[in-house]
Amino acid sequence: MEDNKIRVGITHGDINGIGYEVILKCFADERMVDLCTPVIYGSSKIAAYHRKVMELPQIMMNQIAGIQEVKPGQVNILNCINEDVRVEIATPSTEAGQAAFLALEAAMADLKRGEIDVLVTAPINKNTIQNENFHFPGHTEYLEKCAGDEHKSLMILLKDNLRVALLTGHIPLSDVAHEVTAKNIKEKVTLLNNSLKQDFGVVRPRIAVLSLNPHAGDGGLLGSEEQDIIIPALKQIQESGILVFGPYPADGFFGSSGYEAYDGVLAMYHDQGLAPFKTIAMEEGVNFTAGLPFVRTSPAHGSAYDIAGQNKASAESFRQAVFTAIDVYRNRLRYEEANAHPLRKQFYDRGNDNEKLDLSKDEEM
């Protein structure tokens, strides 16, 4: 049987957190395999352990040792870690961190070879996953490195038409102001504009940019970054044809639902964007990594040790991450197809007696 469905690679994340719980709950719905071909990178033994501990519904899984064994119409689980690894639910451990890395490494290898179409990552513990091959603040930075130096990533948190991107990601708050530069603002706004077009099908995106300081600096009284850096950068971006507006004070912007008038929002730093986003969209929020040659999403929550193993975690954010990955993949295909053969145009040289450039001499009408 030929597999025409999108292959969704899924990494199991931190095996001591809620990763397996949300994965198992998501694919307990048999309709999911009608939509895609899931390939879970992890361990069938660990999956069975989590299912048993929480008394979750039984799921028939196709256990495989390599991607060539994937079967469409089934939930596939690719065993890529040591089956003897110890699971300590709700407890951070280096063993769990290593298991998370091995699954991510195996999935990335298959993604680069085109064996899977998109990647959905369950939450990791950013501390325990650190090793000689993973020395990054999170998934986003690791994936950017895997994509190559020519690619720059952009973190976008989204739910429906609310899309919040970050100028700065996983860095200390004390370093944020140093990263608020005209160069970075132009780069991130351009990445967001391009992603809105190719990944979400927005023809003429409207982008709002938040201020760094309270009340947008109050004309310099509460900080000069708006006057000296952000506003001049936005003017230059506007001159390039991108519809960008701001800077807006973050409190009033979200409090008054100002975000509803825009296709995307660029926040200056992590909590400025994620605190209001998760207040609005915690249960269904999705983390999408834009700017890369492949599609990656994840749920908007973390490993959640406080409820791990208690059958309390909602699978909705993870489910939406799968849906979003599929949608973005399809949107990119449509965008590439639409822009592969632009319609031939007739141009007039008004400086040369309005002579028409004939593009149809060799064509029959």
Side-chain angles (χ1 to χ4, degrees), residues 260-272:
E260 293 179 355
Y262 300 93
D263 301 297
V265 180
L266 182 68
M268 291 292 108
Y269 56 93
H270 187 278
D271 286 11
Q272 184 190 54

Side-chain angles (χ1 to χ4, degrees), residues 205-249:
R206 290 171 52 85
I207 297 172
V209 175
L210 302 184
S211 62
L212 174 66
N213 298 297
H215 307 298
D218 261 346
L221 180 65
L222 302 178
S224 62
E225 285 84 0
E226 285 74 20
Q227 299 293 324
D228 295 345
I229 301 170
I230 301 175
I231 292 174
L234 296 188
K235 288 181 178 178
Q236 290 184 20
I237 297 169
Q238 289 168 347
E239 291 172 359
S240 72
I242 295 176
L243 301 178
V244 63
F245 307 89
Y248 299 109

Side-chain angles (χ1 to χ4, degrees), residues 142-154:
Y142 169 79
L143 295 169
E144 181 180 87
K145 181 66 175 178
C146 290
D149 293 338
E150 69 274 21
H151 297 286
K152 297 297 180 182
S153 65
L154 177 68

Side-chain angles (χ1 to χ4, degrees), residues 99 131 138:
N131 59 49

Side-chain angles (χ1 to χ4, degrees), residues 333-348:
L333 292 180
R334 293 189 191 103
Y335 184 84
E336 290 172 4
E337 182 179 356
N339 290 274
H341 303 290
L343 293 175
R344 303 184 73 185
K345 299 179 181 179
Q346 294 178 332
F347 296 91
Y348 292 85

Side-chain angles (χ1 to χ4, degrees), residues 99-354:
F101 173 72
L102 290 175
L104 180 60
E105 185 180 47
M108 275 305 306
D110 284 345
L111 185 63
K112 285 184 174 182
R113 288 194 295 264
E115 301 286 359
I116 55 176
D117 299 308
V118 299
L119 177 65
V120 179
T121 58
I124 59 172
N125 181 311
K126 295 178 177 63
N127 183 38
T128 62
I129 197 174
Q130 299 296 319
N131 59 49
E132 61 181 12
N133 296 312
F134 190 104
H135 42 81
F136 304 92
H139 277 116
T140 303
E141 295 80 6
Y142 169 79
L143 295 169
E144 181 180 87
K145 181 66 175 178
C146 290
D149 293 338
E150 69 274 21
H151 297 286
K152 297 297 180 182
S153 65
L154 177 68
M155 183 188 297
I156 301 178
L157 280 295
L158 62 98
K159 178 186 179 295
D160 299 328
N161 292 328
L162 172 59
R163 307 177 188 94
V164 180
L166 303 179
L167 179 73
T168 60
H170 298 118
I171 66 173
L173 187 58
S174 58
D175 294 339
V176 168
H178 301 295
E179 296 298 319
V180 180
T181 64
K183 178 178 179 295
N184 286 343
I185 293 170
K186 292 174 189 176
E187 178 183 279
K188 298 299 185 181
V189 169
T190 301
L191 281 170
L192 179 55
N193 186 66
N194 291 342
S195 179
L196 289 169
K197 287 181 176 181
Q198 75 166 10
D199 298 329
F200 300 100
V202 182
V203 177
R204 288 282 285 162
R206 290 171 52 85
I207 297 172
V209 175
L210 302 184
S211 62
L212 174 66
N213 298 297
H215 307 298
D218 261 346
L221 180 65
L222 302 178
S224 62
E225 285 84 0
E226 285 74 20
Q227 299 293 324
D228 295 345
I229 301 170
I230 301 175
I231 292 174
L234 296 188
K235 288 181 178 178
Q236 290 184 20
I237 297 169
Q238 289 168 347
E239 291 172 359
S240 72
I242 295 176
L243 301 178
V244 63
F245 307 89
Y248 299 109
D251 56 350
F253 183 81
F254 286 101
S256 64
S257 299
Y259 60 85
E260 293 179 355
Y262 300 93
D263 301 297
V265 180
L266 182 68
M268 291 292 108
Y269 56 93
H270 187 278
D271 286 11
Q272 184 190 54
L274 268 62
F277 175 83
K278 290 188 176 183
T279 300
I280 297 167
M282 184 66 179
E283 285 297 315
E284 299 178 8
V286 175
N287 181 359
F288 167 58
T289 306
L292 302 182
F294 46 80
V295 177
R296 175 261 174 167
T297 64
S298 73
H301 56 70
S303 298
Y305 293 133
D306 57 325
I307 60 171
Q310 301 175 43
N311 196 8
K312 292 182 178 180
S314 168
E316 190 56 34
S317 182
F318 182 84
R319 184 179 294 107
Q320 292 299 324
V322 174
F323 292 159
T324 299
I326 294 169
D327 287 344
V328 170
Y329 181 80
R330 288 173 174 165
N331 285 339
R332 285 191 178 184
L333 292 180
R334 293 189 191 103
Y335 184 84
E336 290 172 4
E337 182 179 356
N339 290 274
H341 303 290
L343 293 175
R344 303 184 73 185
K345 299 179 181 179
Q346 294 178 332
F347 296 91
Y348 292 85
D349 183 358
R350 296 187 180 277
N352 187 25
D353 298 326
N354 288 337

